[in-house]
Amino acid sequence: MARIVMKFGGTSVADLDRIRNVAARIKREVEAGNEVAVVVSAMAGATNQLVAWCAQLSTLHDAREYDSVVSTGEQVTSGLMAIALQTLGVKARSWQGWQIPLETDLAHGKARIEHIAGERLLASMRSGEVSVVAGFQGIGPDGRITTLGRGGSDTSAVALAAALKADRCDIYTDVDGVYTTDPRIVPRARKLPRIAYEEMLELASVGAKVLQTRSVELAMKQRVRVQVLSSFDDGTSLGGDLPGTLVVDEDEIVEKEIVSGIAYSRDEAKLTVRGVPDQPGIAAAIFGPLSAASINVDMIVQDVSADGTTDLTFTLSRSDLPRAMKVLEENKAKVGFATLAADKAVAKISVVGVGMRSHAGVASTMFQTLATKGINVQVISTSEIKVSVLIAEEYTELAVRALHTAYGLDA
Ligand code: ASP
Ligand code: MG
């Protein structure tokens, strides 16, 4: 017998037929003798609609009311799933965040989980009842409903698995696992049987959006074994050889690949600040105001100075570009730069793998491969387990395909 948290994303509960299918799958886990807590997302598209309604009424809406509106998508699916389970003869009840309670901080719209009291859920599970938890939502110190940020029901599930000391946290989604790269670009991409938390974090933050980044951080911190799997295969292997991808500690991966995956992100822009005086305090003068405006900067390069001035180039999220330019223009006198040059037609390509720690030559293979294809590298950044380059956006597919082959990842 195992204690399992099963989380179903929006596409898995998109309509009543799918909810019935999911209920049947949960029933199989219960009949196998397991204690089950279920976390559900809102039906596909429901949250977008709720968010749009708030925005249409007011661009500066009260974040507490936003939470009270957008949390309802999950309230609906948790109740429907409990009904579907009961219809199949499975004892079940729904739980809203505040009923558990799942306590968060006060950051309405992007709250962080602070504490989950597992006792009531555990008592209900021990009595043979399936707990169907509304994902994405909690209760703040102000006693009001909070939500965890878009994609947050992954984080609800992982946090619940940690609080309930579950043996597994199974995340059912519309893909059947984590791939070496996006199969839409590289049809010969392979599904990874296992991936290390750290690799998953790098892949998630550079654009492979299978799990909410925060959920992976939490899983790594709390050592929750996360299994990503499809809610659309027939599920005969449930409980045995699970067919998806297991996200686990690096030590559990015996055959460490040097490169496990290639990620790309088109949500990038490049900003060059030209003609800044090459003297102490300039980087602080540029990046201080940006961070004060909550603008995240990613890759940074600074040229050697020729005539006492230098150029400083950095990348940021494309949607932040207009704000970043405004902030810098406002600080032009203080920084003392000459001009700003922006480029939105860029993409970031990253190769990721924990095996890189103990292997040389990963970066040079990357540069060589891109050179052979005539792709110019504009900015480079590295970490212990990642090499990223910024290139012209039009070469994204070509670069991903070429690198996938170069690192021997093709199926
Ligand atoms: N329904 C929420 C969203 O779309 C939370 C989730 O699905 O994870 O962001
Ligand atoms: Mg999701």
Side-chain angles (χ1 to χ4, degrees):
M1 192 197 86
R3 184 176 296 155
I4 307 168
V5 172
M6 302 171 82
K7 183 259 168 176
F8 295 91
T11 46
S12 316
V13 294
D15 55 40
L16 295 183
D17 276 338
R18 290 190 182 171
I19 289 177
R20 282 191 198 98
N21 279 339
V22 165
R25 177 173 289 242
I26 296 168
K27 183 178 181 182
R28 287 200 289 276
E29 288 286 12
V30 174
E31 283 176 344
N34 297 313
E35 279 180 6
V36 180
V38 173
V39 176
V40 286
S41 285
M43 289 168 145
T47 309
N48 287 346
Q49 177 64 75
L50 296 166
V51 169
W53 280 334
C54 294
Q56 282 159 26
L57 277 180
S58 162
T59 46
L60 287 172
H61 45 256
D62 182 340
R64 292 161 301 191
E65 302 306 347
Y66 165 93
D67 278 348
S68 126
V69 174
V70 300
S71 61
T72 58
E74 274 73 10
Q75 173 157 353
V76 170
T77 40
S78 62
L80 290 175
M81 188 61 74
I83 295 174
L85 284 164
Q86 290 165 1
T87 310
L88 297 178
V90 178
K91 267 174 64 182
R93 73 152 276 191
S94 66
W95 294 83
Q96 306 311 303
W98 63 269
Q99 293 171 320
I100 296 174
L102 185 152
E103 292 165 42
T104 72
D105 64 12
L106 249 188
H108 282 279
K110 50 175 189 314
R112 296 185 85 92
I113 299 174
E114 292 201 320
H115 180 246
I116 299 181
E119 299 77 35
R120 299 179 68 190
L121 282 181
L122 279 172
S124 138
M125 287 163 71
R126 278 197 202 101
S127 78
E129 190 172 66
V130 173
S131 303
V132 187
V133 175
F136 184 48
Q137 46 158 281
I139 179 168
D142 54 355
R144 302 186 63 171
I145 297 169
T146 51
T147 61
L148 309 179
R150 297 307 304 271
S153 49
D154 292 336
T155 302
S156 308
V158 171
L160 210 59
L164 300 175
K165 300 195 170 45
D167 299 290
R168 282 203 326 262
C169 180
D170 291 346
I171 309 253
Y172 290 86
T173 173
D174 49 359
V175 295
D176 62 352
V178 179
Y179 280 74
T180 48
T181 194
D182 184 346
R184 287 169 304 183
I185 291 187
V186 182
R188 293 165 74 192
R190 278 185 292 118
K191 187 163 70 183
L192 293 161
R194 282 168 187 245
I195 186 168
Y197 294 120
E198 272 183 84
E199 292 173 324
M200 190 66 202
L201 272 179
E202 292 288 5
L203 291 173
S205 63
V206 293
K209 292 198 178 69
V210 182
L211 297 176
Q212 195 197 33
T213 304
R214 212 186 257 183
S215 72
V216 184
E217 285 166 1
L218 191 64
M220 178 156 109
K221 209 166 116 213
Q222 305 272 356
R223 301 283 145 200
V224 175
R225 292 163 64 87
V226 174
Q227 172 95 18
V228 176
L229 61 179
S230 163
S231 48
F232 301 114
D233 355 303
D234 84 317
T236 41
S237 51
L238 264 186
D241 274 343
L242 288 161
T245 299
L246 202 53
V247 190
V248 290
D249 194 82
E250 200 177 315
D251 296 342
E252 285 194 52
I253 301 174
V254 191
E255 285 289 324
K256 292 190 185 49
E257 302 285 346
I258 299 173
V259 170
S260 306
I262 319 268
Y264 65 94
S265 163
R266 291 195 168 94
D267 177 32
E268 306 288 327
K270 182 179 76 168
L271 194 52
T272 301
V273 191
R274 290 203 202 287
V276 289
D278 192 13
Q279 64 193 42
I282 287 303
I286 292 175
F287 297 117
L290 291 173
S291 101
S294 300
I295 295 169
N296 262 331
V297 167
D298 181 19
M299 310 162 104
I300 303 176
V301 277
Q302 185 184 329
D303 282 348
V304 288
S305 78
D307 51 358
T309 71
T310 180
D311 293 349
L312 205 141
T313 298
F314 59 91
T315 67
L316 69 173
S317 165
R318 209 173 277 179
S319 54
D320 282 340
L321 182 64
R323 272 197 317 127
M325 292 185 73
K326 186 163 166 270
V327 167
L328 288 177
E329 287 295 349
E330 284 164 6
N331 287 276
K332 187 166 182 176
K334 216 154 91 211
V335 180
F337 64 86
T339 54
L340 288 180
D343 186 355
K344 283 198 283 189
V346 290
K348 183 169 69 170
I349 315 291
S350 305
V351 300
V352 174
V354 287
M356 239 178 249
R357 286 206 183 102
S358 48
H359 280 267
V362 175
S364 70
T365 302
M366 184 174 201
F367 304 146
Q368 190 57 53
T369 307
L370 296 172
T372 311
K373 296 288 174 190
I375 301 171
N376 189 36
V377 173
Q378 302 180 10
V379 186
I380 302 166
S381 73
T382 62
S383 81
E384 246 191 321
I385 66 159
K386 178 183 76 166
V387 185
S388 301
V389 296
L390 196 75
I391 61 170
E393 187 185 8
E394 57 185 312
Y395 297 121
T396 305
E397 276 96 351
L398 180 62
V400 170
R401 278 193 207 109
L403 292 168
H404 199 265
T405 305
Y407 290 108
L409 296 174
D410 289 345

